[in-house]
Amino acid sequence: MAEHAMYFTDERAQRNYKIRVGILKGLVYVFLSIFALFMVIPFVIMVVGSFIEAKAFEGFADTAKISYLGFSNWSFSNYQFIFSNGSSSFPTYFLNTLIVAVASTTVTVVTAVLAAFAFARLNFKGRDALFALLLATMMIPGEMMVITNYQTVKAINWTNTFAALILVHGVSVFYIFYLRQTFQQIPNELYLAAKVDGVGDLGYLVKVMIPIAMPTITTIIILSMMGAWNSYIWPNLVARGGWKYYPQHSMKLVSNGLRDMFSLTIANQPIPDTYKIAGSMVISIPLLIVFILFRKYIMRGVSRSGIKG
Amino acid sequence: MAKQKERRVEEVAQEVIVPSTDGAAAIDATKTKLVGKRKLINLPQWAVAWIVLIPALFFIIWFMLFPIVNTTLFAFIGDFYYDKGGSFALAQFVVATTKNSQQSSFGFNNFVEVLQNKVFLHSIRNTAELVIIEVPLTIIVSLLLATFLNSIKVLKGFYQTIFFLPYVTNTIALGLVFNIAFSRGSGGLVNIFLSLFGIDPINWLSDALVGGVGKATRIHQAVVIVTYSLWNGLAFKILVFMSGLATIDKQYYDAAKIDGSSSFTIWRRITLPLLSPQILYITITSFIGSFKMYTGVMAVYQGQSSSTGYYFGPTTNPGLTDGDEWIPVVGWIYRYLYLYPTEPGIPSAGSLVLLAIIMMITIVQFAVSKKRVHY
């Protein structure tokens, strides 16, 4: 604000202005801090709650005495429960989610790169009409597709298989759209030069376009992985039980496993809240690590999309 | 075309090779190399295009375009039972009607039934109420936060990262944390916090008596749901507004300051108009997104009473049950789909009603925005 000092001829007016600006700034920081606290508190509850022993947490709830939350009552007992529940436990959910995330991301990226290449670089009849049709599907609520896909999966006996979890999300119109934009920014001269050098269309895609668009592809990979990690509705419809080919293996993904753990009981008592919080913590940590490592890619991709994960 | 290309290859080959001493042989070698490659990979462009489009189109047709058509058909085929699961609505309908094995009707029967379904109407009301509170609230708060963030220099990145954190979390996981914080009557974390200010404990969520506090009211439950939506929804909006603010030319602000305009006038007359494209974008996407709300509501609100892991309500009773008070439209659709797999016509009709509502709101927003958005 100092650069505006010259506008004031009167010294007192200048000082008043400075004070006003200072107070305003202070208020801005207060407002920001209040909301920052609001954002952070759930994470604090999650971290503290996941380490507090169940009994100490109950004690705190009964008496509201902060002393119950001291480090002397911290242990890994909640995590022990999370990781020791036989075949229907978090290691299984992690494995399932990892398989689905890697496979569906691979399929999605391959289909998106190829399709975006066709839309961005190649000329063919009906290209713009087809692209407009794809964009139009983005406005249709996903529920309409889920209804029929659910029926399809039942009809072809795909319930409780990985195919149902992976293939239904094998394509994303948004990623095609996003990648096409990046591809279109690559100058035409490169394409012509490659042609002259005798490089074919596919060779150009692999040798020139993909390397140039790698940041965008990285963003897509991360967002797609996060999407699989967070998916809940579709797996809850089609993969609630044991694997079709080996029923002892639970097919649940992390979100579903966590959600179902919430209604779990031990000896007719609901399980302690601290166990549930530890479960939340366990499936949040990988996301937070990915966020710390790839913050730039995630924020860039997100500001261009409207989708969660 | 093909001949022209041949000639071009020859020209290129000559340009490149001629200076070398062993001219003719080199040209031949290059030509065979180039032409050989051409034969392998240089199909006409339209053919290459359709070949690389095959994988994407395969999935799009099977899991997106066909379902849209099929679900629409479901909605218009009334009183029909898909005993084998109905992924091919039309085929089954034609077969059954030609064999005359099932009475059915083509028309608006499903819509009539859906619009008479008490739970569906209740879910529409729920969703509409939540959207009307939540969307303006989230947009105003995120707009304020973005403007404030943009006006500071110290700690800007720190605040920005914190505000973005909720975006990279699992909706269910943090919804459950909110659920725990708001549950269990006087022993709940939120109630313990409020008691510091002398506020009596409130039963926020449960339909039962918890911790000596009576039943939660509809409004209390709404407060929890909206709080979580706010927490969950700010990150994306702040990010979009920040990127919009970054593109506003600083000269406007300098000019306004020379004119002696107050900060509020500057915000009202410069920032808001220049940010209007982003505001329109956010308004439209958040209305659409909020009308499809489901996971967040379920995580924060249904966390404790459902015993079977079903979506809304642990019961096969199609009526309203405890824990259904705030069922959203999408929750109703999925519950019906899951509980009555042989009658997909009803949820399909419901999803078309949802689509109609969303389209109507979007059209109204575009119409209103024509006067107010400056591109």
Side-chain angles (χ1 to χ4, degrees):
Chain A
M1 294 292 164
E3 69 266 31
H4 303 297
M6 56 185 148
Y7 306 139
F8 296 98
T9 43
D10 182 357
E11 223 173 82
R12 246 175 67 198
Q14 186 182 333
R15 211 172 56 218
N16 283 345
Y17 177 81
K18 271 189 178 166
I19 291 172
R20 264 215 333 267
V21 167
I23 291 174
L24 226 74
K25 272 231 152 133
L27 288 177
V28 163
Y29 275 100
V30 169
F31 188 82
L32 286 175
S33 304
I34 289 173
F35 270 92
L37 214 61
F38 173 55
M39 294 293 167
V40 168
I41 281 178
F43 292 106
V44 175
I45 295 176
M46 195 161 74
V47 174
V48 176
S50 69
F51 285 107
I52 292 285
E53 280 173 9
K55 272 187 188 157
F57 192 77
E58 294 300 317
F60 175 71
D62 288 341
T63 60
K65 274 186 191 150
I66 289 285
S67 60
Y68 277 106
L69 303 182
F71 283 116
S72 55
N73 290 324
W74 286 35
S75 76
F76 284 99
S77 58
N78 303 317
Y79 290 100
Q80 268 167 10
F81 174 81
I82 293 296
F83 286 105
S84 63
N85 203 8
S87 66
S88 165
S89 73
F90 274 80
T92 319
Y93 307 151
F94 265 92
L95 180 69
N96 292 340
T97 315
L98 209 64
I99 293 172
V100 172
V102 170
S104 71
T105 302
T106 312
V107 178
T108 311
V109 168
V110 170
T111 55
V113 166
L114 290 177
F117 171 61
F119 284 120
R121 169 54 53 213
L122 303 173
N123 287 312
F124 58 99
K125 255 191 194 152
R127 180 179 74 171
D128 296 339
L130 184 62
F131 192 66
L133 177 71
L134 294 197
L135 286 189
T137 62
M138 282 171 79
M139 305 205 307
I140 308 284
E143 291 69 42
M144 284 188 70
M145 299 164 200
V146 169
I147 291 173
T148 289
N149 287 340
Y150 177 60
Q151 299 280 342
T152 307
V153 163
K154 288 189 84 138
I156 58 178
N157 226 344
W158 266 9
T159 336
N160 292 320
T161 60
F162 283 102
L165 292 174
I166 294 163
L167 294 182
V168 171
H169 297 123
V171 75
S172 154
V173 174
F174 170 70
Y175 294 150
I176 295 176
F177 175 69
Y178 184 25
L179 206 55
R180 171 180 167 269
Q181 276 186 320
T182 312
F183 280 169
Q184 277 178 335
Q185 284 163 4
I186 299 172
N188 239 343
E189 286 75 18
L190 283 180
Y191 181 64
L192 298 176
K195 274 269 137 145
V196 169
D197 287 345
V199 176
D201 287 323
L202 285 180
Y204 177 68
L205 171 68
V206 173
K207 285 179 194 152
V208 181
M209 288 182 110
I210 290 179
I212 291 181
M214 212 50 214
T216 306
I217 295 174
T218 313
T219 304
I220 291 176
I221 291 173
I222 296 165
L223 289 183
S224 171
M225 290 274 202
M226 281 170 58
W229 197 261
N230 287 328
S231 68
Y232 172 78
I233 294 173
W234 178 247
N236 208 27
L237 279 168
V238 300
R240 291 197 53 81
W243 191 19
K244 188 179 164 193
Y245 306 103
Y246 184 70
Q248 286 91 330
H249 180 93
S250 167
M251 275 301 287
K252 284 176 195 164
L253 303 191
V254 282
S255 302
N256 310 88
L258 180 68
R259 176 63 187 74
D260 290 349
M261 199 185 85
F262 238 62
S263 23
L264 219 63
T265 50
I266 301 173
N268 279 331
Q269 288 289 313
I271 63 165
D273 282 351
T274 49
Y275 289 7
K276 303 173 187 172
I277 296 177
S280 298
M281 183 77 179
V282 161
I283 72 168
S284 299
I285 284 176
L287 283 172
L288 292 175
I289 292 174
V290 167
F291 175 62
I292 291 165
L293 293 179
F294 299 103
R295 199 171 68 112
K296 205 176 69 189
Y297 290 108
I298 295 173
M299 288 176 85
R300 193 187 51 200
V302 166
S303 63
R304 288 188 194 170
S305 76
I307 40 171
K308 172 123 188 166
Chain B
M1 272 305 275
K3 274 198 173 163
Q4 274 178 3
K5 272 188 188 166
E6 292 264 0
R7 211 173 299 143
R8 177 79 190 124
V9 169
E10 243 175 68
E11 280 169 24
V12 170
Q14 275 166 2
E15 274 167 32
V16 176
I17 307 298
V18 162
S20 81
T21 45
D22 196 8
I27 290 175
D28 276 339
T30 319
K31 253 169 80 179
T32 43
K33 217 171 141 195
L34 288 177
V35 174
K37 260 192 186 170
R38 269 164 50 85
K39 272 184 187 154
L40 270 179
I41 47 179
N42 225 0
L43 290 161
Q45 272 202 354
W46 62 266
V48 178
W50 286 107
I51 289 171
V52 296
L53 274 172
I54 287 173
L57 285 181
F58 171 75
F59 289 112
I60 286 173
I61 291 171
W62 190 8
F63 295 120
M64 291 172 81
L65 296 181
F66 161 67
I68 292 170
V69 175
N70 194 60
T71 302
T72 313
L73 285 172
F74 274 151
F76 286 99
I77 298 174
D79 310 321
F80 191 83
Y81 297 96
Y82 302 85
D83 40 2
K84 285 173 195 150
S87 77
F88 297 97
L90 192 61
Q92 291 197 36
F93 175 70
V94 170
V95 168
T97 38
T98 45
K99 279 195 201 155
N100 228 352
S101 58
Q102 266 202 55
Q103 287 285 314
S104 61
S105 58
F106 200 85
F108 288 91
N109 281 11
N110 288 331
F111 291 92
V112 173
E113 198 171 318
V114 159
L115 293 175
Q116 284 173 347
N117 184 310
K118 283 207 177 93
V119 190
F120 181 73
L121 294 178
H122 187 76
S123 73
I124 293 262
R125 184 188 142 196
N126 285 346
T127 312
E129 283 178 8
L130 289 175
V131 167
I132 287 168
I133 306 167
E134 178 198 312
V135 172
L137 180 74
T138 327
I139 291 178
I140 290 169
V141 172
S142 53
L143 200 54
L144 281 178
L145 287 172
T147 333
F148 287 167
L149 267 178
N150 202 45
S151 75
I152 62 170
K153 289 202 185 81
V154 185
L155 292 177
K156 185 177 175 180
F158 170 75
Y159 280 119
Q160 227 176 337
T161 308
I162 285 185
F163 289 140
F164 190 72
L165 268 182
Y167 195 88
V168 282
T169 52
N170 184 300
T171 311
I172 304 272
L174 269 295
L176 299 184
V177 172
F178 268 76
N179 177 284
I180 288 175
F182 277 100
S183 52
R184 33 193 310 168
S186 57
L189 299 175
V190 172
N191 281 332
I192 290 175
F193 176 73
L194 289 178
S195 70
L196 299 178
F197 303 96
I199 298 172
D200 286 336
I202 295 165
N203 185 347
W204 292 99
L205 285 166
S206 175
D207 296 305
L209 228 119
V210 178
V213 194
K215 271 188 153 193
T217 65
R218 197 172 150 79
I219 293 173
H220 287 146
Q221 294 171 337
V223 169
V224 181
I225 296 170
V226 170
T227 309
Y228 184 51
S229 313
L230 183 71
W231 186 87
N232 210 4
L234 283 178
F236 172 61
K237 298 180 179 73
I238 292 176
L239 195 69
V240 172
F241 287 143
M242 289 291 286
S243 62
L245 286 171
T247 62
I248 296 179
D249 196 334
K250 292 279 172 292
Q251 285 182 3
Y252 296 118
Y253 292 113
D254 292 339
K257 271 176 192 155
I258 291 172
D259 288 347
S261 312
S262 72
S263 311
F264 179 73
T265 316
I266 294 177
W267 187 72
R268 171 77 192 76
R269 299 274 170 208
I270 297 178
T271 312
L272 273 192
L274 289 176
L275 206 58
S276 51
Q278 278 82 14
I279 296 175
L280 173 71
Y281 169 64
I282 285 290
T283 311
I284 288 174
T285 51
S286 32
F287 263 103
I288 295 175
S290 298
F291 255 99
K292 298 196 284 180
M293 70 171 89
Y294 170 63
T295 314
V297 181
M298 190 209 44
V300 75
Y301 165 60
Q302 264 284 312
Q304 50 191 4
S305 59
S306 157
S307 54
T308 53
Y310 279 21
Y311 312 96
F312 262 86
T315 168
T316 52
N317 174 8
L320 273 182
T321 53
D322 279 357
D324 275 355
E325 184 60 29
W326 277 106
I327 185 170
V329 183
V330 175
W332 179 86
I333 291 173
Y334 287 140
R335 186 170 80 168
Y336 207 101
L337 181 67
Y338 195 81
L339 294 180
Y340 307 102
T342 56
E343 302 171 43
I346 304 290
S348 300
S351 71
L352 278 180
V353 172
L354 181 66
L355 174 66
I357 295 174
I358 289 175
M359 296 236 306
M360 247 157 49
I361 290 176
T362 312
I363 289 168
V364 169
Q365 281 170 343
F366 268 116
V368 172
S369 70
K370 271 201 177 138
K371 284 183 189 161
R372 296 184 177 258
V373 175
H374 309 253
Y375 291 103

